[in-house]
Coordinates of all heavy atoms in Angstrom, one line a residue:
N111 N -35.2 17.7 8.9 CA -35.3 16.3 8.5 C -36.5 16.1 7.6 O -36.6 15.2 6.8 CB -35.3 15.3 9.7 CG -34.0 14.9 10.1 OD1 -33.0 15.2 9.5 ND2 -33.9 14.2 11.2
A112 N -37.6 16.9 7.8 CA -38.8 16.7 7.1 C -38.6 16.9 5.6 O -39.3 16.4 4.8 CB -39.9 17.7 7.6
L113 N -37.6 17.7 5.2 CA -37.3 18.0 3.8 C -36.4 17.0 3.1 O -36.2 17.0 1.9 CB -36.7 19.4 3.7 CG -37.5 20.5 4.2 CD1 -36.8 21.8 4.1 CD2 -38.8 20.6 3.4
Q114 N -35.9 16.0 3.9 CA -35.0 15.0 3.3 C -35.9 14.0 2.5 O -36.9 13.5 3.0 CB -34.2 14.3 4.3 CG -33.0 15.1 4.8 CD -32.1 14.3 5.7 OE1 -32.6 13.4 6.4 NE2 -30.9 14.7 5.7
D115 N -35.4 13.7 1.3 CA -36.1 12.7 0.5 C -35.7 11.3 1.0 O -34.5 10.9 1.0 CB -35.7 12.9 -0.9 CG -36.2 11.8 -1.9 OD1 -37.2 11.1 -1.5 OD2 -35.8 11.8 -3.0
P116 N -36.6 10.4 1.4 CA -36.3 9.1 2.0 C -35.6 8.2 0.9 O -34.8 7.4 1.3 CB -37.6 8.6 2.4 CG -38.7 9.4 1.9 CD -38.1 10.7 1.5
I117 N -36.0 8.4 -0.3 CA -35.3 7.6 -1.4 C -33.9 8.0 -1.5 O -33.0 7.1 -1.6 CB -36.1 7.7 -2.7 CG1 -37.5 7.1 -2.5 CG2 -35.3 7.0 -3.8 CD1 -38.4 7.3 -3.7
S118 N -33.6 9.3 -1.5 CA -32.2 9.7 -1.6 C -31.4 9.3 -0.4 O -30.3 8.8 -0.6 CB -32.2 11.3 -1.6 OG -32.2 11.8 -2.9
T119 N -32.0 9.3 0.7 CA -31.3 8.9 1.9 C -31.0 7.4 1.9 O -29.9 7.0 2.2 CB -32.2 9.2 3.2 OG1 -32.4 10.6 3.2 CG2 -31.5 8.8 4.5
A120 N -32.0 6.6 1.4 CA -31.8 5.1 1.3 C -30.7 4.8 0.3 O -29.8 4.0 0.5 CB -33.1 4.5 0.9
V121 N -30.7 5.5 -0.9 CA -29.7 5.3 -1.9 C -28.3 5.7 -1.4 O -27.3 5.0 -1.6 CB -30.0 6.1 -3.2 CG1 -28.8 6.1 -4.2 CG2 -31.3 5.5 -3.8
Q122 N -28.2 6.8 -0.7 CA -26.9 7.3 -0.1 C -26.4 6.3 0.9 O -25.2 6.0 0.9 CB -27.1 8.7 0.5 CG -25.8 9.3 0.8 CD -26.0 10.8 1.3 OE1 -27.1 11.1 1.8 NE2 -25.0 11.6 1.1
Q123 N -27.3 5.8 1.7 CA -26.9 4.8 2.7 C -26.4 3.5 2.0 O -25.4 2.9 2.5 CB -28.0 4.5 3.7 CG -28.2 5.6 4.7 CD -29.5 5.3 5.6 OE1 -30.3 4.5 5.3 NE2 -29.6 6.1 6.6
A124 N -27.1 3.1 1.0 CA -26.7 1.9 0.3 C -25.3 2.1 -0.4 O -24.5 1.2 -0.4 CB -27.7 1.5 -0.8
Q125 N -25.1 3.2 -1.0 CA -23.8 3.5 -1.6 C -22.7 3.5 -0.6 O -21.6 3.0 -0.8 CB -23.9 4.9 -2.3 CG -24.7 4.9 -3.6 CD -24.8 6.3 -4.2 OE1 -24.7 7.3 -3.5 NE2 -25.1 6.3 -5.5
T126 N -23.0 4.1 0.6 CA -22.0 4.2 1.6 C -21.6 2.8 2.1 O -20.4 2.4 2.3 CB -22.5 5.0 2.8 OG1 -22.7 6.4 2.4 CG2 -21.4 5.1 4.0
T127 N -22.6 1.9 2.3 CA -22.4 0.6 2.7 C -21.6 -0.2 1.6 O -20.6 -0.9 2.0 CB -23.7 -0.2 3.0 OG1 -24.4 0.5 4.0 CG2 -23.5 -1.6 3.4
A128 N -22.0 -0.1 0.4 CA -21.3 -0.7 -0.7 C -19.8 -0.3 -0.8 O -18.9 -1.1 -1.0 CB -22.0 -0.5 -2.0
L129 N -19.6 1.0 -0.6 CA -18.2 1.5 -0.6 C -17.4 1.0 0.5 O -16.2 0.6 0.4 CB -18.2 3.0 -0.6 CG -16.9 3.7 -0.6 CD1 -16.1 3.4 -1.9 CD2 -17.0 5.2 -0.5
S130 N -18.0 0.9 1.7 CA -17.3 0.4 2.9 C -17.0 -1.0 2.7 O -15.9 -1.5 3.0 CB -18.3 0.6 4.1 OG -17.6 0.7 5.2
N131 N -17.9 -1.8 2.2 CA -17.7 -3.2 1.9 C -16.6 -3.5 0.9 O -15.7 -4.3 1.1 CB -18.9 -4.0 1.5 CG -20.0 -4.1 2.6 OD1 -19.6 -4.0 3.8 ND2 -21.2 -4.3 2.2
A132 N -16.6 -2.7 -0.2 CA -15.5 -2.8 -1.2 C -14.2 -2.4 -0.6 O -13.2 -3.1 -0.9 CB -15.9 -1.9 -2.4
A133 N -14.1 -1.4 0.2 CA -12.8 -1.0 0.8 C -12.3 -2.1 1.7 O -11.1 -2.4 1.8 CB -13.0 0.3 1.6
A134 N -13.2 -2.7 2.5 CA -12.8 -3.8 3.4 C -12.3 -5.0 2.6 O -11.3 -5.7 2.9 CB -14.0 -4.2 4.3
K135 N -12.9 -5.3 1.5 CA -12.5 -6.4 0.6 C -11.2 -6.1 0.0 O -10.3 -7.0 -0.1 CB -13.6 -6.7 -0.5 CG -13.3 -7.9 -1.3 CD -14.5 -8.2 -2.2 CE -14.2 -9.5 -3.0 NZ -15.3 -9.8 -3.9
L136 N -11.0 -4.9 -0.5 CA -9.7 -4.5 -1.0 C -8.6 -4.6 0.0 O -7.5 -5.2 -0.3 CB -9.7 -3.0 -1.5 CG -8.4 -2.5 -2.0 CD1 -7.8 -3.2 -3.2 CD2 -8.5 -1.0 -2.3
Q137 N -8.8 -4.2 1.2 CA -7.8 -4.3 2.3 C -7.5 -5.8 2.6 O -6.3 -6.1 2.7 CB -8.3 -3.6 3.6 CG -7.3 -3.4 4.6 CD -6.2 -2.4 4.2 OE1 -6.4 -1.6 3.4 NE2 -5.0 -2.6 4.8
S138 N -8.5 -6.6 2.6 CA -8.3 -8.0 2.9 C -7.5 -8.7 1.8 O -6.5 -9.4 2.0 CB -9.6 -8.7 3.0 OG -9.5 -10.1 3.1
T139 N -7.9 -8.4 0.5 CA -7.2 -8.9 -0.6 C -5.7 -8.4 -0.7 O -4.8 -9.2 -1.0 CB -7.9 -8.5 -1.9 OG1 -9.2 -9.0 -1.8 CG2 -7.2 -9.1 -3.2
A140 N -5.5 -7.2 -0.4 CA -4.1 -6.6 -0.4 C -3.3 -7.3 0.7 O -2.1 -7.6 0.4 CB -4.2 -5.1 -0.2
A141 N -3.9 -7.5 1.8 CA -3.1 -8.2 2.9 C -2.7 -9.6 2.5 O -1.6 -10.1 2.8 CB -3.9 -8.2 4.2
K142 N -3.7 -10.3 1.8 CA -3.3 -11.7 1.3 C -2.3 -11.6 0.2 O -1.4 -12.5 0.2 CB -4.6 -12.3 0.7 CG -5.6 -12.7 1.8 CD -6.9 -13.2 1.2 CE -8.0 -13.5 2.2 NZ -9.2 -13.9 1.6
A143 N -2.3 -10.6 -0.6 CA -1.2 -10.5 -1.6 C 0.1 -10.2 -1.0 O 1.1 -10.8 -1.4 CB -1.6 -9.3 -2.6
V144 N 0.2 -9.4 0.1 CA 1.4 -9.2 0.8 C 2.0 -10.5 1.3 O 3.1 -10.8 1.2 CB 1.2 -8.1 1.9 CG1 2.5 -8.0 2.8 CG2 0.9 -6.8 1.3
A145 N 1.1 -11.3 2.0 CA 1.5 -12.5 2.5 C 2.1 -13.5 1.4 O 3.1 -14.1 1.6 CB 0.4 -13.2 3.3
A146 N 1.4 -13.5 0.3 CA 1.8 -14.4 -0.8 C 3.2 -13.9 -1.3 O 4.1 -14.7 -1.6 CB 0.8 -14.4 -1.9
Y147 N 3.3 -12.6 -1.5 CA 4.6 -12.0 -2.0 C 5.7 -12.2 -1.0 O 6.9 -12.4 -1.4 CB 4.5 -10.6 -2.5 CG 3.9 -10.4 -3.8 CD1 2.7 -9.7 -4.0 CD2 4.5 -11.0 -5.0 CE1 2.1 -9.6 -5.3 CE2 3.9 -10.8 -6.2 CZ 2.7 -10.1 -6.4 OH 2.2 -10.0 -7.6
K148 N 5.4 -12.1 0.3 CA 6.5 -12.4 1.3 C 7.0 -13.8 1.2 O 8.2 -14.1 1.3 CB 5.9 -12.1 2.7 CG 5.9 -10.7 3.1 CD 5.4 -10.5 4.5 CE 5.5 -9.1 5.0 NZ 5.0 -8.9 6.4
T149 N 6.0 -14.7 1.0 CA 6.4 -16.1 0.8 C 7.3 -16.3 -0.4 O 8.3 -16.9 -0.4 CB 5.2 -17.0 0.7 OG1 4.4 -16.9 1.9 CG2 5.5 -18.5 0.5
L150 N 6.8 -15.8 -1.5 CA 7.6 -15.9 -2.8 C 9.0 -15.2 -2.7 O 10.0 -15.8 -3.1 CB 6.8 -15.3 -3.9 CG 5.6 -16.0 -4.4 CD1 4.8 -15.2 -5.4 CD2 5.9 -17.4 -4.9
A151 N 9.0 -14.0 -2.1 CA 10.3 -13.3 -1.9 C 11.2 -14.1 -1.0 O 12.4 -14.1 -1.2 CB 10.0 -11.9 -1.4
G152 N 10.7 -14.8 0.0 CA 11.5 -15.6 0.9 C 12.1 -16.8 0.1 O 13.2 -17.2 0.4
L153 N 11.4 -17.3 -0.9 CA 11.9 -18.4 -1.7 C 12.9 -18.0 -2.7 O 13.8 -18.7 -3.1 CB 10.7 -19.2 -2.4 CG 9.7 -19.8 -1.4 CD1 8.5 -20.3 -2.2 CD2 10.4 -21.0 -0.7
S154 N 12.7 -16.7 -3.2 CA 13.6 -16.2 -4.2 C 14.0 -14.8 -3.8 O 13.6 -13.8 -4.3 CB 12.9 -16.1 -5.5 OG 12.6 -17.4 -6.0
P155 N 14.9 -14.7 -2.7 CA 15.2 -13.4 -2.2 C 16.0 -12.5 -3.1 O 16.1 -11.3 -2.9 CB 16.0 -13.7 -0.9 CG 16.5 -15.1 -1.2 CD 15.5 -15.8 -2.0
N156 N 16.6 -13.0 -4.2 CA 17.3 -12.2 -5.1 C 16.6 -11.8 -6.4 O 17.2 -11.4 -7.3 CB 18.7 -12.9 -5.4 CG 19.6 -13.0 -4.2 OD1 19.6 -12.1 -3.4 ND2 20.2 -14.1 -4.1
D157 N 15.3 -12.0 -6.3 CA 14.4 -11.7 -7.5 C 13.9 -10.3 -7.3 O 13.0 -10.0 -6.5 CB 13.3 -12.7 -7.6 CG 12.4 -12.5 -8.8 OD1 12.4 -11.4 -9.4 OD2 11.8 -13.5 -9.3
A158 N 14.5 -9.4 -8.1 CA 14.1 -8.0 -8.0 C 12.7 -7.7 -8.3 O 12.0 -6.9 -7.7 CB 15.0 -7.1 -8.9
T159 N 12.1 -8.5 -9.3 CA 10.7 -8.3 -9.7 C 9.8 -8.6 -8.5 O 8.8 -7.9 -8.3 CB 10.4 -9.2 -10.9 OG1 11.3 -8.8 -12.0 CG2 9.0 -9.0 -11.3
L160 N 10.1 -9.7 -7.8 CA 9.3 -10.0 -6.6 C 9.4 -9.0 -5.6 O 8.4 -8.7 -4.9 CB 9.7 -11.4 -6.0 CG 9.2 -12.6 -6.8 CD1 9.8 -13.9 -6.2 CD2 7.7 -12.7 -6.8
Q161 N 10.5 -8.4 -5.4 CA 10.7 -7.3 -4.4 C 9.8 -6.1 -4.7 O 9.1 -5.5 -3.8 CB 12.1 -6.9 -4.2 CG 13.0 -8.0 -3.7 CD 12.6 -8.4 -2.3 OE1 12.1 -7.6 -1.5 NE2 12.7 -9.7 -2.0
I162 N 9.8 -5.7 -6.0 CA 9.0 -4.5 -6.3 C 7.5 -4.9 -6.2 O 6.7 -4.0 -5.8 CB 9.4 -3.9 -7.7 CG1 8.8 -2.5 -7.8 CG2 8.9 -4.8 -8.9 CD1 9.4 -1.7 -8.9
Q163 N 7.1 -6.1 -6.6 CA 5.7 -6.5 -6.5 C 5.3 -6.6 -5.0 O 4.2 -6.2 -4.7 CB 5.5 -7.9 -7.2 CG 5.6 -7.7 -8.7 CD 5.7 -9.1 -9.4 OE1 6.1 -10.1 -8.8 NE2 5.2 -9.1 -10.6
L164 N 6.2 -7.1 -4.1 CA 5.9 -7.0 -2.7 C 5.7 -5.6 -2.2 O 4.8 -5.3 -1.5 CB 7.0 -7.8 -1.9 CG 7.0 -7.7 -0.4 CD1 5.7 -8.2 0.1 CD2 8.2 -8.4 0.2
G165 N 6.6 -4.7 -2.7 CA 6.5 -3.3 -2.3 C 5.2 -2.7 -2.7 O 4.6 -2.0 -1.9
Q166 N 4.8 -3.0 -3.9 CA 3.5 -2.4 -4.4 C 2.3 -3.0 -3.6 O 1.4 -2.2 -3.3 CB 3.4 -2.7 -5.9 CG 4.4 -1.9 -6.7 CD 4.4 -2.4 -8.2 OE1 4.2 -3.5 -8.5 NE2 4.8 -1.5 -9.1
A167 N 2.3 -4.3 -3.4 CA 1.2 -4.9 -2.6 C 1.2 -4.3 -1.2 O 0.1 -4.0 -0.7 CB 1.4 -6.4 -2.6
A168 N 2.3 -4.2 -0.6 CA 2.4 -3.7 0.8 C 1.9 -2.2 0.8 O 1.2 -1.8 1.7 CB 3.8 -3.8 1.3
Q169 N 2.3 -1.5 -0.2 CA 1.9 -0.1 -0.2 C 0.4 0.0 -0.3 O -0.2 0.8 0.3 CB 2.6 0.6 -1.4 CG 2.4 2.1 -1.4 CD 3.2 2.8 -2.5 OE1 3.9 2.2 -3.3 NE2 3.1 4.1 -2.6
T170 N -0.2 -0.8 -1.2 CA -1.6 -0.8 -1.3 C -2.3 -1.2 0.0 O -3.4 -0.7 0.3 CB -2.0 -1.8 -2.5 OG1 -1.5 -1.4 -3.7 CG2 -3.5 -1.9 -2.6
A171 N -1.7 -2.2 0.7 CA -2.3 -2.6 1.9 C -2.0 -1.7 3.1 O -2.5 -1.9 4.2 CB -1.7 -4.0 2.3
G172 N -1.2 -0.6 2.9 CA -1.0 0.3 3.9 C 0.1 -0.1 4.8 O 0.3 0.4 5.9
D173 N 1.0 -1.0 4.4 CA 2.1 -1.6 5.2 C 3.4 -0.9 4.8 O 4.1 -1.4 4.0 CB 2.1 -3.1 5.1 CG 3.2 -3.7 5.9 OD1 4.0 -3.0 6.5 OD2 3.2 -5.0 6.0
A174 N 3.6 0.3 5.3 CA 4.7 1.1 4.8 C 6.1 0.5 5.2 O 7.0 0.5 4.4 CB 4.7 2.5 5.4
T175 N 6.1 -0.2 6.3 CA 7.4 -0.8 6.7 C 7.8 -1.9 5.7 O 9.0 -1.9 5.3 CB 7.2 -1.4 8.1 OG1 6.8 -0.4 9.0 CG2 8.5 -2.1 8.6
T176 N 6.9 -2.8 5.4 CA 7.2 -3.8 4.4 C 7.5 -3.3 3.0 O 8.4 -3.7 2.4 CB 6.0 -4.9 4.3 OG1 5.9 -5.5 5.6 CG2 6.3 -5.9 3.3
A177 N 6.7 -2.3 2.6 CA 6.9 -1.6 1.3 C 8.3 -1.0 1.2 O 9.0 -1.2 0.3 CB 5.8 -0.6 1.1
L178 N 8.7 -0.3 2.3 CA 10.0 0.4 2.2 C 11.1 -0.7 2.2 O 12.0 -0.5 1.4 CB 10.2 1.3 3.5 CG 9.4 2.6 3.4 CD1 9.4 3.2 4.8 CD2 10.1 3.5 2.4
A179 N 11.0 -1.7 3.0 CA 12.0 -2.8 3.0 C 12.1 -3.4 1.6 O 13.2 -3.7 1.1 CB 11.7 -3.8 4.0
A180 N 11.0 -3.7 1.0 CA 11.0 -4.4 -0.3 C 11.5 -3.4 -1.4 O 12.3 -3.9 -2.3 CB 9.5 -4.8 -0.7
Y181 N 11.1 -2.2 -1.4 CA 11.6 -1.2 -2.4 C 13.1 -1.1 -2.2 O 13.9 -1.0 -3.2 CB 10.9 0.1 -2.3 CG 9.5 0.1 -2.8 CD1 8.5 0.8 -2.1 CD2 9.1 -0.6 -3.9 CE1 7.2 0.9 -2.6 CE2 7.8 -0.5 -4.4 CZ 6.8 0.2 -3.7 OH 5.6 0.2 -4.2
R182 N 13.6 -1.0 -1.0 CA 15.1 -0.8 -0.8 C 15.8 -2.1 -1.3 O 16.9 -2.0 -1.8 CB 15.3 -0.5 0.7 CG 14.9 0.9 1.1 CD 15.1 1.2 2.5 NE 14.7 2.6 2.8 CZ 14.1 2.9 3.9 NH1 13.7 2.1 4.8 NH2 13.8 4.2 4.1
R183 N 15.2 -3.2 -1.0 CA 15.8 -4.5 -1.5 C 15.9 -4.5 -3.0 O 16.8 -4.9 -3.6 CB 15.0 -5.7 -0.9 CG 15.6 -7.0 -1.4 CD 16.6 -7.5 -0.5 NE 17.0 -8.9 -0.9 CZ 18.3 -9.3 -1.0 NH1 19.2 -8.5 -0.6 NH2 18.5 -10.5 -1.4
F184 N 14.8 -4.0 -3.6 CA 14.7 -3.9 -5.1 C 15.9 -3.1 -5.6 O 16.6 -3.5 -6.5 CB 13.4 -3.4 -5.5 CG 13.4 -3.0 -7.0 CD1 13.2 -3.9 -8.0 CD2 13.5 -1.6 -7.4 CE1 13.2 -3.5 -9.3 CE2 13.5 -1.2 -8.7 CZ 13.4 -2.2 -9.7
L185 N 16.1 -1.9 -5.0 CA 17.1 -1.0 -5.4 C 18.5 -1.6 -5.3 O 19.4 -1.4 -6.1 CB 17.1 0.3 -4.7 CG 15.9 1.2 -5.1 CD1 15.9 2.5 -4.3 CD2 16.0 1.6 -6.6
K186 N 18.7 -2.4 -4.2 CA 19.9 -3.1 -3.9 C 20.2 -4.1 -5.0 O 21.3 -4.3 -5.5 CB 19.9 -3.7 -2.6 CG 21.2 -4.4 -2.2 CD 21.2 -4.9 -0.7 CE 22.5 -5.5 -0.4 NZ 22.5 -6.1 1.0
L187 N 19.1 -4.8 -5.4 CA 19.3 -5.9 -6.4 C 19.3 -5.4 -7.8 O 20.0 -6.0 -8.7 CB 18.1 -6.9 -6.3 CG 18.0 -7.7 -5.0 CD1 16.6 -8.4 -5.0 CD2 19.1 -8.7 -4.9
A188 N 18.7 -4.3 -8.1 CA 18.6 -3.8 -9.5 C 18.7 -2.2 -9.5 O 17.8 -1.5 -9.9 CB 17.3 -4.2 -10.1
P189 N 19.9 -1.7 -9.1 CA 20.1 -0.3 -9.0 C 20.0 0.4 -10.4 O 19.7 1.6 -10.4 CB 21.5 -0.1 -8.4 CG 22.2 -1.4 -8.7 CD 21.1 -2.5 -8.8
T190 N 20.2 -0.3 -11.5 CA 20.1 0.4 -12.8 C 18.8 0.1 -13.5 O 18.7 0.5 -14.7 CB 21.3 0.0 -13.6 OG1 21.3 -1.4 -13.8 CG2 22.7 0.4 -13.0
D191 N 17.9 -0.6 -12.9 CA 16.6 -0.9 -13.5 C 15.9 0.4 -13.9 O 16.1 1.4 -13.2 CB 15.8 -1.7 -12.5 CG 14.5 -2.2 -13.2 OD1 13.5 -1.4 -13.3 OD2 14.5 -3.4 -13.5
P192 N 15.2 0.4 -15.0 CA 14.5 1.6 -15.5 C 13.5 2.1 -14.4 O 13.2 3.3 -14.4 CB 13.8 1.2 -16.7 CG 14.6 0.0 -17.2 CD 15.1 -0.6 -16.0
L193 N 13.0 1.3 -13.5 CA 12.1 1.7 -12.5 C 12.8 2.3 -11.3 O 12.1 2.8 -10.4 CB 11.2 0.5 -12.1 CG 10.2 0.0 -13.1 CD1 9.5 -1.3 -12.6 CD2 9.2 1.0 -13.5
A194 N 14.1 2.2 -11.2 CA 14.8 2.7 -10.0 C 14.5 4.1 -9.6 O 14.3 4.4 -8.5 CB 16.3 2.4 -10.2
P195 N 14.5 5.1 -10.6 CA 14.2 6.4 -10.2 C 12.8 6.6 -9.6 O 12.6 7.3 -8.6 CB 14.3 7.2 -11.5 CG 15.2 6.4 -12.4 CD 14.9 5.0 -12.0
Q196 N 11.9 5.9 -10.2 CA 10.5 6.0 -9.7 C 10.4 5.4 -8.3 O 9.8 5.9 -7.4 CB 9.5 5.3 -10.6 CG 8.1 5.3 -10.1 CD 7.2 4.6 -11.1 OE1 7.5 4.2 -12.2 NE2 5.9 4.4 -10.7
V197 N 11.1 4.2 -8.1 CA 11.1 3.6 -6.8 C 11.8 4.5 -5.7 O 11.3 4.6 -4.6 CB 11.8 2.2 -6.9 CG1 12.0 1.6 -5.5 CG2 11.0 1.3 -7.7
K198 N 12.8 5.2 -6.1 CA 13.5 6.1 -5.2 C 12.5 7.2 -4.7 O 12.5 7.6 -3.5 CB 14.7 6.7 -5.8 CG 15.9 5.7 -5.9 CD 17.0 6.4 -6.7 CE 18.1 5.3 -6.9 NZ 19.3 5.9 -7.6
R199 N 11.7 7.7 -5.7 CA 10.7 8.7 -5.3 C 9.6 8.2 -4.4 O 9.2 8.8 -3.4 CB 10.1 9.3 -6.6 CG 11.0 10.2 -7.4 CD 10.2 11.0 -8.5 NE 9.6 10.1 -9.5 CZ 10.2 9.6 -10.6 NH1 11.5 10.0 -10.8 NH2 9.6 8.9 -11.4
V200 N 9.2 6.9 -4.6 CA 8.2 6.3 -3.8 C 8.8 6.1 -2.4 O 8.1 6.3 -1.4 CB 7.7 5.0 -4.4 CG1 6.9 4.2 -3.4 CG2 7.0 5.2 -5.6
I201 N 10.1 5.7 -2.3 CA 10.7 5.5 -1.0 C 10.7 6.8 -0.2 O 10.4 6.8 1.0 CB 12.1 4.9 -1.1 CG1 12.1 3.4 -1.6 CG2 12.9 5.0 0.2 CD1 13.4 2.8 -1.9
K202 N 11.1 7.8 -0.9 CA 11.2 9.2 -0.2 C 9.8 9.6 0.3 O 9.7 10.1 1.4 CB 11.7 10.2 -1.3 CG 12.0 11.5 -0.7 CD 12.6 12.5 -1.7 CE 12.9 13.8 -1.1 NZ 13.5 14.7 -2.1
S203 N 8.8 9.4 -0.5 CA 7.4 9.7 -0.1 C 6.9 8.9 1.0 O 6.4 9.4 2.0 CB 6.5 9.5 -1.3 OG 5.2 9.8 -0.9
L204 N 7.2 7.6 1.0 CA 6.7 6.7 2.1 C 7.5 7.0 3.4 O 6.9 7.0 4.4 CB 7.0 5.2 1.7 CG 5.9 4.6 0.8 CD1 6.4 3.2 0.4 CD2 4.6 4.6 1.4
A205 N 8.8 7.3 3.2 CA 9.6 7.6 4.4 C 9.1 8.9 5.1 O 9.0 9.0 6.3 CB 11.0 7.7 4.1
A206 N 8.7 9.9 4.2 CA 8.2 11.1 4.8 C 6.8 10.9 5.4 O 6.6 11.5 6.5 CB 8.1 12.1 3.6
Q207 N 6.0 10.1 4.8 CA 4.7 9.8 5.5 C 4.9 9.1 6.8 O 4.2 9.4 7.8 CB 3.9 8.9 4.5 CG 3.3 9.6 3.3 CD 2.6 8.7 2.3 OE1 2.4 7.5 2.7 NE2 2.4 9.2 1.1
A208 N 5.8 8.1 6.8 CA 6.0 7.4 8.0 C 6.6 8.3 9.1 O 6.2 8.2 10.3 CB 7.0 6.2 7.8
A209 N 7.4 9.2 8.8 CA 8.0 10.1 9.7 C 6.9 11.1 10.3 O 6.8 11.3 11.5 CB 9.1 11.0 9.1
A210 N 6.0 11.5 9.4 CA 4.9 12.4 9.8 C 4.0 11.7 10.7 O 3.5 12.2 11.7 CB 4.2 12.9 8.6
Q211 N 3.7 10.4 10.4 CA 2.8 9.6 11.3 C 3.4 9.4 12.6 O 2.8 9.4 13.6 CB 2.4 8.3 10.6 CG 1.4 8.5 9.4 CD 1.2 7.2 8.7 OE1 1.8 6.2 9.0 NE2 0.2 7.2 7.8
S212 N 4.7 9.1 12.6 CA 5.4 8.8 13.8 C 5.4 10.0 14.7 O 5.2 9.9 15.9 CB 6.9 8.4 13.5 OG 7.6 8.2 14.7
S213 N 5.7 11.2 14.1 CA 5.7 12.4 15.0 C 4.3 12.8 15.4 O 4.2 13.4 16.5 CB 6.4 13.6 14.2 OG 5.6 14.0 13.1
A214 N 3.3 12.4 14.7 CA 1.9 12.8 15.1 C 1.5 11.9 16.2 O 0.6 12.3 17.0 CB 1.0 12.6 13.9
T215 N 2.1 10.7 16.4 CA 1.7 9.8 17.4 C 2.6 9.9 18.7 O 2.3 9.2 19.7 CB 1.7 8.3 16.9 OG1 3.0 8.0 16.5 CG2 0.7 8.1 15.8
Q216 N 3.6 10.6 18.6 CA 4.5 10.8 19.7 C 3.9 11.8 20.7 O 3.4 12.8 20.3 CB 5.9 11.4 19.3 CG 6.7 10.5 18.4 CD 7.2 9.2 19.1 OE1 7.5 9.3 20.3 NE2 7.2 8.1 18.4
P217 N 3.9 11.4 22.0 CA 3.4 12.3 23.0 C 4.2 13.6 23.1 O 5.5 13.5 23.0 CB 3.4 11.5 24.3 CG 4.3 10.4 24.1 CD 4.4 10.2 22.6
S218 N 3.6 14.7 23.2 CA 4.4 15.9 23.4 C 4.7 16.1 24.9 O 4.0 15.7 25.8 CB 3.6 17.1 22.9 OG 2.4 17.2 23.6
G219 N 5.9 16.6 25.1 CA 6.3 16.7 26.5 C 7.3 17.6 26.7 O 7.9 18.1 27.4

C-alpha cells in the first residue's frame, strides 16, 4: 500500500463512483422507458413500431420477458418488415440467455 499513489487512488475511486451512478441512472431511465412504451403499446396494440421500441427498451433495461413478448408481437404484426430477420436473431439470443439463466438458478438435485 505504501507504493500506491493517493492521487491515482482518488481518481480511480471517483471514476468508479461516476460509472456506478451513470449505470444506475441508465437503469432507471430504461425502466421508465419500458413503462411508457407499455402504456403506448396498450393504447395501440397493433402498432408494430411501438412493439419493437418496447422490445428495445426492455432489452436495455434487462427485462428479457417483456422484450421477448414485444419482439414476438412485432413479428406477428409485421412478419415481412425489413427488421424481421434481425428481430428473429435477437429473440433467439434472448431466449438462449433466459434459458441459461434459468438453468443456472435451478437447484441441482
